[in-house]
Structure formats: structure tokens, C-alpha cells
Amino acid sequence: MSTHAELQVPSLGKVTVPVGIFINNEWSPSSFKETFATINPATGEKQLDFAHGSAADVDRAVKAARKAFKTTWGNNIAATERAAALNKLADLMERDSDKLAALESINSGKGVRIARDADVADSVACLRYYAGLADKFFGQTIPHFGKEKFVYTLHQPIGVCGQIIPWNYPLLMWAWKVAPALAAGCCVVMKPSELTPLTALVLCDLAKEAGIPAGVINTVPGLGATTGDAISRHMDIDKVAFTGSVVTGRRISIAAAESNLKKVTLELGGKSPMLVFDSADVEEAAAWTAMGIWFNSGQDCCASSRVYVQEGIYDKFLAALKKKAETVAIGQPHDEATSFGPLISAGQRDKVLGYIETGKKEGARVVTGGQKWPKSGGGFWIEPTILADTTLDMKVVQEEIFGPVIVAAKFKTEEEALELANTTSYGLAAAVFTNDARQATRITAALDAGTVWQNQYALLHAGVPFGGFKQSGIGRELGTYGLEAYTQVKAVHQNLTQTVEWPI
Amino acid sequence: MAPSYTHNFNHAGFKGKVEIPTGLFINNEWSTSKDSNAKTIDVVNPSTGESITAIPEGLPADVEVAIDAAHKAFNTTWGTNCPGFERGKYLIKIAELMERDLDILASIEALDNGKTYAVAKSFDVTESAAVFRYYGGWADKIHGKVIEQSAQKLAYTRHEPVGVCGQIIPWNFPLYMFSWKIAPALATGCCVVIKPSELTPLTALYMTKLFKEAGVPAGVVNVIVGYGPTVGNALATNPRVDKVAFTGSTPVGRKVMEAASKSNLKKVTLELGGKGANIIFDDADLNEAVKYAAQGIFFNHGQTCCAGSRLFVQRGIYDKFAEKFAHVAAQIKVGDPFDANTYQGPQVSQTQYDRIMNYVECGKQEGAKVLTGGNRHGKQGYFIEPTVFGDVTNNMKIVREEIFGPVIVMSAFDTEDEVIASANDTNYGLASGIFTSDLSRAHRVASHLKAGTVWVNCYNELHPQIPFGGFKESGIGRELGEYALENYMEVKAVQINLGKKCAIPVDL
């Protein structure tokens, strides 16, 4: 197979894109000569064939990464040089913003305007944030030892890191992984999702153009069970970072433990609750809730997929939310007006429809939506859906649906609201809507979630940490905390005057 | 029509016409003084003693206008109105423009200050851009702390920008000092009114073009060239200036602090003089020590606050060291800053030249031995031969006072305790050096030296990431590194009561 292919893209015309494996700044086909295909979520048609990386390809990538780590990256160059390379890559992403947005849109189904103004822009901001942090991650000097010894810590890059990213934000998840890893001095072996490998591969060429040395970023497309597993089990990968489902996260964690006990960080699923109190502005709460559940068509780990409304305003809130559902900008990805596109695949679409049916059977009331979008054609749209009057024991309340379906219920007291919110194995995000400042602070302290939004939802920033309590994950990404995942602490004891008595 | 000066450069490193706006830069516009009494300031080429150009003088009335502009910007387009990552982007953009105009800025600096073009390019301009880049990365990472979280209370700190800052910088590293002041101030959200030295204003004035090109909002940076007693004093005394930062001599630093105290007790940070002790132990790598000792004093023609201007050499290697050192000093090539072979250009002005030569005379009279140098170099411009005095004692003027020229004093010592005492026997405390191959000794001596920087087996190493500043009369506060941000921040503690009732014993 060739390492490149042609793709017809609205607004770009015919584009040549990479579909091979990127190791040591060079393209190659899979050692198996095997491929896998991607589907256009807006049409259901086959899009491209990509190289399916084998364990041997992963091994080759690891060797390239290890070599770079020992010679041209890591602490072999100054942190300011790593920073300059990341900034240069950010510049190139900005230069190619329209192209990247169009490719992201056609591969993932996102509206092209959103891909450009959110996904590409936020990815660039993430790279620039970590470029600025690279030379500012200090160790400590620990001065308690007087004349006896000089003690300090070094924050050293972990080494070769495997990174496995999902299909819901292909470009942004790439930036969240690559930026801190490279800033810290690590080299990566990246497996993009087999549903959306396109932009990750295009970025490899930009990385090369930015002057990032060969072997620092290696990309091996493939499937989880094969390529992903090879990464999780590789004996010379020092750390694996994964974003995706709890089920897969568990598998990766087990594989890491069974192989070389490599460090593991996980960003997994969520079933994040919104708590809307009587004092809240109902229109404002409905607007943010709509953003929280229908942005990216609900395919977001921190989607506000449960909403609990104080009984006094329950009906008013549902009416307001229904209006938002009915005025969502649903449409074709290439249309600039679209901000609600199809789900990523037939499988996901059917899974969501399955949950809606289950919800109905369990007694939930469909306030709006609940079906395929009539204009779907061959694509995978589902209408924004509200399931009301749900109870804690329902499947649709406990399990992550990962689609544009929100479950709603009412509550009386603050204690009841917290109980409902926290009765879940997840803990990624949550929100409280209230005009009572003390209540907001109190509730925030009590919610078991890694991010709590007060009177808003969904907004993330490169400088603010993000990650899960409970089964939503291990570790934090973004912010200065995000650098910790890619460094290890070495304590140095420098003896100045201590002696050892013998026998002790 | 904004005043400007165009210079035609024609040297091996750069050929071309460069236009430098020379007006007062206030609110993103260049103008002459509001005050009809304002004259012009003559900018002199220290290599020739001849005038380069005359530029408009700024006066206190102009400082008032600049402070207005700075406050307006602070309350509308800058300060907390501009998110950190946006401020960071401006700073990075400025760095990129400086890198683009590397040869131009280096040429201007060499012409105006007399440092060699080669060093201006590889050090001054390059490192200044690096400082802007460094603080560009800090702008969105200025974190407070969350200190208490309980059912009773949430307590956290905000690190807020101080406000409008007056900055007064010297002539020895005009552009570099400009970057040390402006970058952290802008990163934290402050607005500045900066007075470059009237001796070396040209690179700061060129930078005003780059600020405008980068799109920095009007009023955020204001540049006024004027004299210390007028413009400098106006900044130090003005009640609407929230903080003053000064780099220069200790006597003037004292005046700035007095003025600040007498007016509105504005915050003060000072980077003042030094008389750096460079200590060479007998187990040092001799040749490296000799080279670093020479660089330590002759870099920037000795016009460095952190210069290693007092050399202490352990007796066992003294004679050998002295011989090698004199030999190396005599190899230092003094001459035209634009000649690629030159290491040492002229001193910055006639006044400085006279002061240094005065000290040299003094040294001779006090009985110190001239091992090499001690005379003027050439007949035109302010060039002085690299000068080494031996057999000095701790009470000599040339040992106690900062000379700020290519003049070093050298003496022998026997023990570690003795040299630590000698090194610390000074009112200054800026920088010092230790040369030894004994790791324990390096750490031990470093812990005893009263100096803000201790260089071990090196000298004059400055990096944006590493703090710099003085103990004792060498200064107050630290620049560079994360520490510089503190100079431009106020810490506000916010304590939110979550459930506590007031305990005052009254009935209601």
C-alpha cells in the first residue's frame, strides 16, 4: 500500500493525505501490509484505508523514540529549545488552520466552523501553554541538612511514552497528549483512534516541518486490540497515557501491570450531573445545560448527561431545555452553520438508540428527540433527546450513553441533590446552578468530581487541570499538573561531611 | 511629524539604513516634550567621542501624561482586562520581532554603548529576546494558592498586578536591562513608564517601533528619555506610580528609595552596584580559572554590576596565576566595536573614562602594583587598557569602591575562613565566584558568601530562568526567574466565610 492517498474535501478540493505509519520522521506502510478503513459519519460511505500498525511497527517506533530520547531530545537539549519547537508547531497549525479544520470535520463529523474555531484554536493554545511551561517546572532544594549534605530534587522526563487517544476530539486530544509530553522532554509513540486517524497523521508532517527531531513523535495507526495492546505491553515504553472508555482503560491498566509496570494515566468516561437550584436563572441554566450535553453531539467524556432540577422550577427548566433542543444547529459537517453533526459511527448511533429504547422501557418520558434525524441519509445523526422523570436505578442514568441524550429528574433538598449527583461510579465533572454563593461553595466542596463548574458548563482551558475522581480516571491533564504525568522525581543527596560508622 | 534619526550602517555584520524614532513614546505615539523648556539630549558615540544625533528631552510634565496613559490602559485594555495568555502572546511576538531584527538591534547597541557588535548580537539582543520569551510563558501561569478549605472557610490568594510601574534603567546593558524590566511587568499585567539612560537610549527607542508592530495596546509601555534628577525623580516621587524599579549605582538607588518613601511609599526594587569576589583555590583548574577571571572583569569592559572585580588567589598558586593572568589580560584586544577581532570596546562616556582613570591613579598612589595596563588605549574615544593591580590590601580605595571599568585588584590568601571573611568584607553583595575541584568546599563556601549569585567554576552566567539580585547594599529584590514576578504583584488574600457565626457577645 502507498503511504499517502487522495481525499476529496469540501472547501479544499482534492487533497493528498498521509495514511501510513510515521516513525523517525519517515512514512512507511504497515509491516503486515494490513489496512483498516474509516467511514464518513455524514454519509456512511468508506473514506480512506489506513495502515494497520503491527506489534513490530510499534517496536520500531519505540526504538526510534528511545534513540531520540537519548540523543536529540530529553535533557540533551535545553528546555527553551523544546519550547521553541512547540511554538513553531503551533505557528504551523495556525497557518494550516482551514485545512486542519476541514480534515477534522470530514473525518469526525464535527461542524467545520467548530473544528476551526474550537478544536484547532484550542489545540494551538494548548501547545503554546506547554511551550511556555517547559523551562519552569522546578525541583526543590531542601535545606534542612546544614553542613552535612546538599539535597535537591530533579524533575526528569519519564522517557518513551505511549499515547492512545479517542475519536471524539482527535486533534485536541492529540495536543493534550503531545504538548506536555514534549515540553517535559519525553518522546512519544502515538496511536490515534482507528475511527479518526487523519489529523494526527497530517500533524506529523507539520511536526517535521517545525524541526522536531526524528523519533520524538512517532504515530502508529491501528486497532486497540492489536496496536493499542502492543503499546500497553511494550517492555521499553515507560509510561502509557490513555483517553477513552472505562472498559478499555481497565484493559490498558492490566496490560501495563502485567508487562513492565509502566506508569499509567487515564482519562475515562463520565456521567456528569448538573444541579439546578430554585434561585438559579432558568434560561441561563438551560443554555449552559444545552451546551454541556449537545456540544459535539454529546460525544464528550464530561458531557452534562444528567440534570437534577429543584422541584419548584423543574417543569419550567425542561420547557426551556426543550426549546434549546428544537433550535439546535443540526446539519452537514461542511456547512459553516452546523454545530451539531452526526455521531461518529453506525455502532455508536445504534448504541445510543438502544439506550433510548431501554430508557423508555424503564419508564422515562421522552420530552423531545429520541430518534434518528429524519435528514440523516446514510449518516449517523440522532436528534437532541431529553429523557425526563428518571430514577437512579435506571440504566440510562447509571451508564454512559455518549450521545445527545440527557436524563432529568427533580429533587427537593440540597442533601438529596448531592446524593443523586454522587451516586455513580464516575467522577469527571459536575455543575451547580444557584445564585446563593455559600450554597455554590458548599456544593462544590461536596461533589465528587474533578471539575466543578459554577453557573456555567463545558468550558475548558489549557491552564486549568482536568481529570477524574473515582472511575473517571487517574491523573490530571492540562495546567501545570499536566506536566507531572510526564516527569519523574529524582531526589539527590550530595554528601558533604557525613560519615558512616562501622559496625553500625 | 514624529522626530526620528536614520543611521546608515555599513559594517561586515550588517549593511543598511535604520530609522529610529527618537520622540517620547506615550500612548503608542511619538512626540516632543509638552514642556517648552525641554532641550535636546546629545547621544554620543563612545568609540569616537562624536555626536550621533540629538534627541528630544523628556521632562516631568511628560511623565504626568505617560502616567495618565498607563493608568487608562491598566483599567481598560491591560491589567486584569487582558487575560494572561493574551499578554503572553504579545511578549512572544515582541521576542520574534527582536529575533527578526537581530542585526539591526545589535548594530544600534554597539554604536550607542560601545560594546562589540559580536557580543551585542550573540549575547545582549539574543538574551533580551529570550527574556521576553521566558516571561511570555509565565503570563498565564501566575497562580495564587488555595490555602484553606473546610466547612468553615475557603481561603485563597490572588496575585494581582501592582499597577503602574516606573522603571529606571542604566547604560551598561541598555536593551538587556530594558527586557529585564518590561517583560515581567507586562507578564503580570502592569503598565510601565520607563526611563532609559540618557547615555544609551537608542535601542529602547527602536523597541517602541516593535511594540507598536506587535500590537501592544496604547499606554501599556511608555518610554521617556530624560535625566535622572528630572524624569527619574518624577517617577520615584509621583503618587500615582505604584512601584518603582531601579538599576544603577548605589548612591542613586538610595535617592530613589528616599523619594519613594517620602511620597506614597511606593514599592521599590533596586539592582545596585557590586564588588564581586572571585576566589581561586589551589585545586582549581588553573587555565579555566584564569580565563574566567579575565572574562569576569573584562566582559562588557568591566561595566557590569556583577563583575568579578576582586580576585582572591590561594597563595600556593598565586605567582603562577598572576603570570598567566597578566599574560591573558595583555591579549585582550581593545578597539573598534565593529571589528570582529575586538573583545573590549570603549567605556561608555567621558565621565566614566575620567572616573576609572582616577581610580587607577589612586591605586598607583596607594601603593598597589600595576601588573598590566593602567593607561589610555589609543587617542580617540574612551578606551582603557585592561588593568590588573596586585599586592592590594583590603583598605585600599580600589578594593573597597566599585570602579566599573576594566580594572581588577588581586591579592593572595591562605585559608578558606580568611578568604570568606575578606570576600564578605564589603557593603556590597551582588555576585561572587568560586574555583575549586572540591565539591564539598564549593557548597560550603557558597553557603557562607554573602552574595545573591555564587558562580562555581564559571562566571557571568545569566539566564532568564535563574534569579539575580543583591544582598546588603547591592539591592532589594530579585530579577529574572519566577522571582521577578513578585516585584510586579500584590498578594490579596480572600477569606470566604462558609458557615461561621459572629461570636460577639450581644443579643439580637
Side-chain angles (χ1 to χ4, degrees), chain A residues 4 22-23 93 101 219 279 333-334 349 491:
Chain A
H4 288 71
F22 187 77
I23 296 176
M93 287 170 76
T219 308
S279 67
H334 63 258
R349 190 261 326 266

Side-chain angles (χ1 to χ4, degrees), chain B residues 337-354:
Chain B
F338 290 99
D339 180 338
N341 295 322
T342 301
Y343 183 80
Q344 183 183 312
Q347 308 309 122
V348 81
S349 68
Q350 184 70 56
T351 308
Q352 283 302 115
Y353 173 89
D354 292 338

Side-chain angles (χ1 to χ4, degrees), chain A residues 64-83 85-86 134-135 155-161 180-188 212-217 238 486-488:
Chain A
R66 180 65 59 194
K67 183 160 176 228
F69 184 67
K70 285 195 174 144
T71 56
T72 56
W73 202 248
N75 282 326
N76 302 296
I77 59 171
T80 47
E81 284 184 55
R82 300 197 297 265
L86 283 170
D135 60 352
H155 290 181
Q156 298 195 317
I158 289 184
V160 173
C161 302
L182 263 56
C186 295
C187 296
V188 312
I212 292 172
V216 174
I217 297 176
D238 302 302
Y486 294 96
T487 50
Q488 37 198 6

Side-chain angles (χ1 to χ4, degrees), chain A residues 129 135-136 138 150 494 496, chain B residues 134 140-141 443 465 482:
Chain A
Y129 179 84
D135 60 352
K136 301 174 177 69
F138 311 132
F150 176 61
Q494 203 166 73
L496 300 179
Chain B
Y134 180 75
D140 60 350
K141 302 173 181 68
H443 283 292
Q465 299 85 1
E482 182 180 14

Side-chain angles (χ1 to χ4, degrees), chain B residues 353-435:
Chain B
Y353 173 89
D354 292 338
R355 240 181 112 230
I356 296 162
M357 291 310 288
N358 208 11
Y359 274 112
V360 172
E361 271 317 302
C362 202
K364 289 175 187 168
Q365 271 158 38
E366 285 185 308
K369 188 165 141 209
V370 178
L371 299 182
T372 185
N375 301 307
R376 184 183 192 185
H377 173 95
K379 295 200 180 28
Q380 206 195 9
Y382 317 125
F383 298 86
I384 296 180
E385 291 176 346
T387 301
V388 182
F389 278 106
D391 297 347
V392 301
T393 53
N394 277 0
N395 56 341
M396 288 181 183
K397 249 186 110 167
I398 55 171
V399 175
R400 302 215 66 79
E401 296 182 24
E402 188 182 33
I403 298 173
F404 224 65
V407 179
I408 191 169
V409 298
M410 200 167 90
S411 60
F413 71 91
D414 293 294
T415 67
E416 191 177 296
D417 287 343
E418 176 201 336
V419 76
I420 288 171
S422 295
N424 288 339
D425 180 17
T426 166
N427 290 342
Y428 292 113
L430 191 51
S432 56
I434 302 171
F435 286 81

